Amino acid sequence: MSTGPGADSAPAPTTHDTPDDPIERKSSMFRSLKVRNYRLFFLGQVVSNTGTWMQRIAQDWLVLSLTGSATAVGVTTALQFLPMLLFGLYGGVLVDRLPKRPTLLVTQTSMAITGLALAALTLTGRVEVWHVYVAAFAVGLATVVDNPARQSFVSEMVGPDQLQNAVSLNSANFQSARMIGPAVAGLLITGVGTGWAFLFNGLSYVAPIAGLLLMRARELHPVQRAPRGKGQLREGLSYVAGRPELIWPIVLVGFVGTFAFNFPVYLSAFADEVFHVGAGTYSLFNTLMAVGSVTGALLAARRGTARMRLLAAAALVFGAVEIVAAVTPSLWLFALLMIPLGVFGMTVNVTANTGLQMATDPAMRGRVMALYMMVFLGGSPVGAPIVGWITDTYGARVGLATGGAVAALAALTIGLILARVGGLRLAVGWNAGHPRVRFVPREEREELARAA
């Protein structure tokens, strides 16, 4: 797809940062790590993401220990996501106005202070549940600015040619921490207490802060910041609404995130009600999905482009696999299906993220990515009560199948819309004795028809 307006505003990467050979660019899975600034960022995120997952586990366990209430745990999660739903678009406006690196230094420092404060309260035995609520809400407020700033800063570190690879590696980074962080948190909680997990998280921000400070400003790809003015939020929404290559992927991600990505609801119900197993098997489901997510992110890192047809196809297959998993009678087959679910779910995430950034003018990127993150992250809390009611009323299998059907139907519908907008038509033919179905430009299809 087109890189969109503004993609050329960043200077071309230097020769040592980007291989000249297109084949080498496509085959090097870790090519963006050759860029010094991004390498510093990536290594800092390895440590910080692990601490973040540790705090999530410790936070939920602490609230449960203090209150004995699962509802209180849900309130904590809601408070952490609520700021993104309320102020996410305003965060994008701020990100477009502000320089990204100083902004990230502020947000990362504020989250470090929150973790250290929670550690001090817990280790001294003075912590109360309202302290955890305040900390969760404070982290959510920082995320309103931190998330779109980190998303849009990637292109400033690596430039447009390396963008897909860097976004994919970021996703692999986060999913790897998702496997490691909870395990380490469990050892700390059972061994020395939840306060030490909070302490590790607070100290883990030293790594990304140091990385940001050590970056070479002259090697960044500067972009023009949006001037301060009235109506910038409305301007951002109008910008997205007027571009099919932006609005439809966001709509698709909204449907998938709201109905198909509610795995805490689906997997816990399958573990408890369908297969009658314990928390260990539920953890296994999540671990296998994380393995698939890392695999999907690394496969995305090998690709050189982010095509909207890939986004629609991945969402369609993702929904289809959910439907298959919903009717699977075997526990182990269901568990194994978590791997392709992770692969295709991550493909949807990375392709949408990269495609939106590449198609967006740099001056609008913060607002566009804030809208994307608001829809993607905010969709699950909104959809959870809906899919939870379906699951409770009609059973776990119907709930999961419904989520998969919504994702598949949305992917099919929006894929056809994007194909029509792009002037593509369905072409059916044969290749090496096998049927081949693909979308091609109208002119190419007419040539194929004449040749036939």
Side-chain angles (χ1 to χ4, degrees):
M1 61 174 286
S2 169
T3 55
D8 296 331
S9 63
T14 55
T15 303
H16 66 276
D17 284 344
T18 304
D20 292 331
D21 186 355
I23 297 177
E24 183 181 355
R25 281 203 307 270
K26 186 173 181 179
S27 62
S28 177
M29 186 177 291
F30 303 99
R31 59 187 178 275
S32 55
L33 290 176
K34 296 178 182 178
V35 181
R36 180 182 181 274
N37 285 341
Y38 178 72
R39 187 164 61 248
L40 290 169
F41 176 85
F42 183 88
L43 293 175
Q45 292 300 306
V46 169
V47 180
S48 179
N49 284 336
T50 302
T52 297
W53 278 105
M54 290 175 65
Q55 174 145 327
R56 287 188 183 184
I57 299 300
Q59 176 179 276
D60 292 347
W61 186 260
L62 177 60
V63 170
L64 192 61
S65 301
L66 291 172
T67 66
S69 169
T71 301
V73 176
V75 170
T76 309
T77 302
L79 286 171
Q80 193 157 331
F81 282 101
L82 184 62
M84 180 63 74
L85 287 172
L86 296 178
F87 312 117
L89 292 177
Y90 294 98
V93 172
L94 284 175
V95 166
D96 281 336
R97 292 176 181 173
L98 300 173
K100 307 299 185 296
R101 187 160 65 129
T103 300
L104 287 171
L105 284 170
V106 172
T107 58
Q108 297 281 294
T109 301
S110 66
M111 288 190 280
I113 292 172
T114 301
L116 293 173
L118 204 52
L121 289 167
T122 307
L123 291 172
T124 58
R126 299 177 180 176
V127 69
E128 298 179 25
V129 68
W130 71 267
H131 294 142
V132 186
Y133 288 165
V134 171
F137 190 75
V139 170
L141 282 176
T143 303
V144 166
V145 176
D146 183 81
N147 221 317
R150 277 190 295 111
Q151 298 286 336
S152 53
F153 187 53
V154 172
S155 64
E156 295 188 24
M157 288 185 285
V158 302
D161 289 346
Q162 305 273 30
L163 183 58
Q164 163 131 356
N165 183 258
V167 170
S168 302
L169 291 182
N170 283 351
S171 299
N173 186 332
F174 186 76
Q175 294 299 327
S176 298
R178 179 184 170 188
M179 291 188 289
I180 299 170
V184 177
L187 292 175
L188 282 177
I189 291 169
T190 56
V192 293
T194 54
W196 294 97
F198 296 136
L199 181 61
F200 182 94
N201 179 55
L203 295 177
S204 73
Y205 286 98
V206 171
I209 291 171
L212 289 166
L213 292 173
L214 290 171
M215 287 183 183
R216 297 170 182 164
R218 67 180 182 276
E219 295 181 8
L220 293 172
H221 297 250
V223 298
Q224 183 179 359
R225 297 200 300 271
R228 186 182 300 272
K230 295 181 179 180
Q232 290 183 320
L233 177 58
R234 184 170 60 253
E235 179 188 13
L237 292 174
S238 298
Y239 177 83
V240 171
R243 287 164 173 77
E245 71 275 17
L246 299 180
I247 184 63
W248 289 115
I250 291 176
V251 170
L252 176 55
V253 166
F255 276 106
V256 174
T258 301
F259 295 99
F261 261 83
N262 272 290
F263 290 111
V265 176
Y266 296 137
L267 299 186
S268 59
F270 264 82
D272 184 43
E273 300 171 11
V274 177
F275 297 119
H276 308 291
V277 291
T281 306
Y282 172 65
S283 297
L284 175 64
F285 292 159
N286 284 280
T287 300
L288 290 173
M289 186 171 292
V291 170
S293 297
V294 172
T295 304
L298 293 177
L299 290 173
R302 292 183 63 88
R303 290 191 292 269
T305 57
R307 297 181 182 276
M308 290 300 102
R309 68 187 74 175
L310 175 63
L311 171 62
L316 179 61
V317 175
F318 176 76
V321 174
E322 277 201 347
I323 295 172
V324 172
V327 299
T328 297
S330 165
L331 167 63
W332 293 109
L333 181 56
F334 180 85
L336 290 174
L337 285 172
M338 296 301 102
I339 297 176
L341 274 179
V343 170
F344 289 105
M346 183 54 60
T347 302
V348 171
N349 188 356
V350 170
T351 306
N353 188 317
T354 311
L356 289 172
Q357 291 203 51
M358 294 179 68
T360 302
D361 189 292
M364 288 284 185
R365 194 166 284 148
R367 279 165 281 185
V368 173
M369 296 313 297
L371 178 61
Y372 166 74
M373 296 308 299
M374 186 181 74
V375 169
F376 187 66
L377 294 179
S380 291
V382 171
I386 301 173
V387 300
W389 176 82
I390 294 173
T391 300
D392 287 340
T393 305
Y394 300 103
R397 293 191 184 278
V398 173
L400 182 59
T402 301
V406 170
L409 183 61
L412 185 61
T413 302
I414 293 173
L416 292 173
I417 292 173
L418 287 170
R420 184 176 182 83
V421 168
L424 301 177
R425 294 294 182 269
L426 189 67
V428 181
W430 291 85
N431 182 31
H434 299 285
R436 185 182 186 187
V437 181
R438 60 192 178 116
F439 284 102
V440 298
R442 180 184 304 176
E443 295 79 5
E444 183 178 338
R445 192 186 76 158
E446 292 174 353
E447 291 178 5
L448 291 172
R450 286 196 296 268

